[in-house]
């Protein structure tokens, strides 16, 4: 392997993401859900995930020589702050979280019955 395990991991990642369009197109064919509906639903959670990944990446670079517990603590605080800002500022993301919270609450009530 000329690029080693890391090259194989990147190649696998690219193939998986490149095939998603065809996968979703096949799975959704014959249903009332369109690809546009799916992508609109996935847009804000995907942006949030990319933002979290960026934070983790840059925290690793900024604190590369420090103790692991320092990196973990600072990263956790920055991630919590980023999450709070996103939930307060981004209405679509807040709606998604409230909907999930409502579904979990309904599930707990049904289990308690």
């Amino acid at each position: 392997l000329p690029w080693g395990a890391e090259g194989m991991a990147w190649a696998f990642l690219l193939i998986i993401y490149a095939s998603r369009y065809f996968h979703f197109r096949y799975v959704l064919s014959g249903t009332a859900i369109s690809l546009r509906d799916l992508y609109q639903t996935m847009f804000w959670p995907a942006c949030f995930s990319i933002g979290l990944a960026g934070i983790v990446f840059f925290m690793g670079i900024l604190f590369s020589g420090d103790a692991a517990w320092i990196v973990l603590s600072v990263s956790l605080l920055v991630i919590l702050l980023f999450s709070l800002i996103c939930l307060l500022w981004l209405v679509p993301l807040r709606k998604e979280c409230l909907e999930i919270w409502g579904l979990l609450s309904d599930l707990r009530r049904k289990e308690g019955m």
Side-chain angles (χ1 to χ4, degrees), residues 4 7 15 21 38-40 66 84 95 101:
I15 293 298
Y21 169 79
L38 180 68
Y39 289 135
Q40 283 178 340
D66 295 327
L84 185 62
K95 285 181 182 179
W101 185 261

Side-chain angles (χ1 to χ4, degrees), residues 11-63:
F12 181 74
L13 178 80
L14 292 174
I15 293 298
I16 291 297
Y17 280 110
S19 67
R20 285 294 172 209
Y21 169 79
F22 301 105
H23 171 83
F24 287 137
R25 192 170 141 196
Y26 175 75
V27 169
L28 296 176
S29 65
T31 67
I33 303 170
S34 69
L35 279 173
R36 184 181 179 138
D37 295 334
L38 180 68
Y39 289 135
Q40 283 178 340
T41 302
M42 290 173 27
F43 179 75
W44 287 110
C47 289
F48 182 69
S49 297
I50 291 168
L52 290 175
I55 288 171
V56 170
F57 178 75
F58 286 116
M59 286 295 160
I61 291 172
L62 286 175
F63 298 102

